[in-house]
Amino acid sequence: MRSVRARAALGATLVVAVALIGAGLAVLLVLRANLTDRAGLEAEVAAREVAGQLALGTAYGELETGDEEAHPVQVTDGRGRVVAVSKDLEAVSGTGTADVEPEPSAPAPRRSGDDDDDDDDASTPDRGEVSSDRPDFANGTATVDGETADYRFASVELTTDEDVTLTVHAGAPLAAEQEAVDSVRDSMLTGLPVVLLTVAGVTWLVTRRALRPVEGIRRELAAITASEDLGRRVPEPDSRDEVARLARTTNVTLTVLEASVDRQRRFVADASHELRSPIASLRTQLEVGAAHPELLDVPGAVADTVRLQTLAADLLLLARLDAGERPGSAVVDLGALVREVVSRRTGDRIAPAVSVREQGGLDVTGSRGQLARVVGNLLDNAERHAVRSVAVSVRADRGGVAVEVTDDGAGVPPGERDRIFERFVRLDDARSRDDGGAGLGLAIARDVAARHGGTLTAGPAPEGGARFTLRLPRRAGEDPDRTG
């Protein structure tokens, strides 16, 4: 029962079984009701024939009751006493009285207007007429010539020409109804297991065929896991059903996973490569200093140590961002943050010019430390490439806040404006590593911007250099009509 096919087959079989049993019971009930109504109609016809004879004045002993076995008849007066019965009727039930012998010594039948304990019946037919009201029906038994069977009895009232009220009870056999119902029931009970076995088998085969592509996907995924070859893909069926969509989604997931693993491998390789140079340089300086203390380059060792520290901090931040670390929820005024970051940069070759277009209304939500890191990385990049000027501006922009950092350097070629945000990318291959950095500043800046729901793009500056634009969504509750 752990198999999907087994559960599907069992479920379909149970549903069909319940449906067939319910439908079968409904059919049996409808069939029984129809046949019972037909028997009641036959009984009513027989009762009205006998009632018509009595209404015309036929004596009790001269009544024509027809086939006594098919339609046993019992006639009672207003007091329930038997006044006439059909031939060979030995016992009866369901008519209100079990007597089958007329009472010759009984008092005269009740006539209209007699003073007795019974009230006149408003529905009693007129003299010499048979009641046109719907007769009363009841099920019972009758024994005719030693044979007992079930009957449907109809009771019809009449009034003779002598103003005597009588009731004729005539029956119709229920044997045909019982036989038909039993036959249909037996047929259903015989056919039900065959139908259920057929449903279970067909469901098993159809489910097996439908799940065959899923098994192919499972086997291929198991093979990919065993081989660790993320370049392989699962087979995609030609159909447009859920299985085909599952296969396509699985392949997309494998593509993303492969790209992520490749990116991680390149990151580890690039990080190892970047760490190798400062560590080797620092080791060389320390070994020379140990052998020849007078030759120790302390400033160079300090510079290499600072570079290692910066690179380690960058790698740690990237690892936290890749792990899905969410930014904080602090309210940050970008105008005040930019002024604070610039004020701490006392050793820059070119002092940045700061322009804040508005006073207030520049609040965003996020991590103050990470956003300060973004502004610092953009200023570091501009300082590295600028000739004479670096400028940073903050303004409201299209429902958000924009920070622009520009320089008058050589700019970024159009074809490289996306690649520069990749990790460990440096466009100037001739630039020394010490001057050019590790190529992580812009990658970190874009990742932090994305984590804050913003964007970071590169473009040309009016002065001919590069312009980097950081756009972040305004804090909820800020006035969206303020624009710069």
Side-chain angles (χ1 to χ4, degrees):
M1 294 309 298
R2 296 182 179 180
S3 169
V4 175
R5 287 178 292 174
R7 291 199 297 268
L10 179 60
T13 303
L14 289 177
V15 170
V16 173
V18 172
L20 289 179
I21 292 174
L25 290 176
V27 169
L28 291 177
L29 291 176
V30 171
L31 178 62
R32 182 187 295 274
N34 290 337
L35 294 176
T36 301
D37 290 343
R38 189 179 71 177
L41 180 61
E42 293 180 6
E44 180 181 359
V45 171
R48 288 190 180 278
E49 289 180 355
V50 175
Q53 298 177 46
L54 291 172
L56 293 176
T58 304
Y60 297 150
E62 299 177 358
L63 291 175
E64 294 291 338
T65 60
D67 187 352
E68 291 83 359
E69 185 176 355
H71 301 293
V73 176
Q74 182 188 54
V75 182
T76 60
D77 63 6
R79 297 180 182 273
R81 294 172 297 187
V82 177
V83 297
V85 294
S86 60
K87 184 180 179 181
D88 296 331
L89 179 62
E90 300 174 0
V92 66
S93 66
T95 62
T97 178
D99 296 336
V100 292
E101 293 294 337
E103 299 183 17
S105 60
R110 180 174 61 88
R111 296 174 180 270
S112 175
D114 286 350
D115 186 11
D116 53 26
D117 295 335
D118 296 332
D119 295 333
D120 292 339
D121 188 353
S123 61
T124 301
D126 295 335
R127 180 181 298 180
E129 292 185 358
V130 179
S131 173
S132 60
D133 294 341
R134 186 176 184 273
D136 295 331
F137 293 98
N139 291 339
T141 61
T143 302
V144 180
D145 197 17
E147 297 290 335
T148 302
D150 295 327
Y151 287 86
R152 179 73 168 173
F153 288 98
S155 300
V156 176
E157 285 190 357
L158 73 142
T159 300
T160 67
D161 54 359
E162 296 179 355
D163 201 18
V164 178
T165 301
L166 300 175
T167 302
V168 178
H169 307 280
L174 294 176
E177 174 263 348
Q178 294 173 348
E179 182 178 356
V181 172
D182 292 344
S183 177
V184 172
R185 182 194 60 202
D186 294 342
S187 299
M188 289 181 176
L189 292 178
T190 302
L192 182 61
V194 178
V195 173
L196 295 182
L197 289 176
T198 303
V199 169
V202 171
T203 305
W204 176 275
L205 295 176
V206 171
T207 307
R208 178 181 180 183
R209 182 179 181 84
L211 294 178
R212 188 175 299 166
V214 177
E215 179 61 20
I217 295 173
R218 186 203 64 79
R219 285 197 300 266
E220 186 62 23
L221 282 176
I224 293 173
T225 302
S227 64
E228 299 183 358
D229 181 9
L230 295 179
R232 298 172 61 174
R233 296 293 180 265
V234 300
E236 296 186 12
D238 296 332
S239 59
R240 297 182 180 180
D241 56 8
E242 292 81 357
V243 177
R245 291 197 293 271
L246 172 64
R248 287 192 290 271
T249 303
T250 301
N251 284 334
V252 171
T253 302
L254 289 174
T255 300
V256 174
L257 181 60
E258 181 184 16
S260 176
V261 172
D262 290 343
R263 181 182 179 186
Q264 191 70 22
R265 289 172 178 170
R266 289 196 304 270
F267 176 77
V268 173
D270 292 338
S272 301
H273 181 72
E274 293 295 334
L275 288 171
R276 186 182 305 165
S277 291
I279 291 176
S281 175
L282 183 61
R283 177 180 178 179
T284 299
Q285 295 179 55
L286 293 177
E287 288 177 349
V288 170
H292 305 283
E294 69 280 2
L295 299 179
L296 177 62
D297 183 8
V298 175
V302 172
D304 285 338
T305 303
V306 171
R307 185 181 175 197
L308 278 174
Q309 184 181 12
T310 302
L311 182 57
D314 289 343
L315 293 176
L316 177 60
L317 178 57
L318 285 174
R320 288 160 51 192
L321 293 176
D322 289 341
E325 178 180 304
R326 307 300 299 175
S329 57
V331 178
V332 181
D333 184 342
L334 282 185
L337 179 65
V338 168
R339 290 193 182 97
E340 179 183 342
V341 172
V342 172
S343 66
R344 293 201 301 260
R345 300 175 65 88
T346 57
D348 285 347
R349 177 174 59 89
I350 301 174
V354 180
S355 173
V356 179
R357 303 286 181 87
E358 291 89 10
Q359 297 296 327
L362 300 176
D363 291 344
V364 298
T365 303
S367 169
R368 183 179 182 85
Q370 291 185 9
L371 293 176
R373 183 69 171 274
V374 172
V375 175
N377 287 356
L378 294 178
L379 290 174
D380 288 342
N381 181 74
E383 180 80 17
R384 190 176 298 117
H385 297 87
V387 178
R388 290 182 300 274
S389 67
V390 174
V392 56
S393 65
V394 185
R395 58 183 174 83
D397 179 70
R398 292 180 294 180
V401 182
V403 179
E404 291 186 349
V405 178
T406 59
D407 62 71
D408 61 349
V412 182
E416 304 289 345
R417 287 173 184 168
D418 282 331
R419 199 171 74 88
I420 59 174
F421 293 105
E422 297 179 7
R423 299 175 183 182
F424 299 105
V425 169
R426 288 185 294 267
L427 300 184
D428 187 1
D429 292 335
R431 186 175 61 226
S432 68
R433 294 184 183 274
D434 292 337
D435 295 336
L440 293 177
L442 294 180
I444 291 175
R446 172 168 276 190
D447 283 354
V448 172
R451 291 294 191 278
H452 284 74
T455 59
L456 178 60
T457 58
E463 298 82 2
R467 175 172 60 186
F468 289 84
T469 304
L470 169 68
R471 288 187 174 87
L472 296 174
R474 193 192 305 269
R475 178 177 67 91
E478 287 291 306
D479 185 2
D481 294 332
R482 293 186 180 182
T483 57

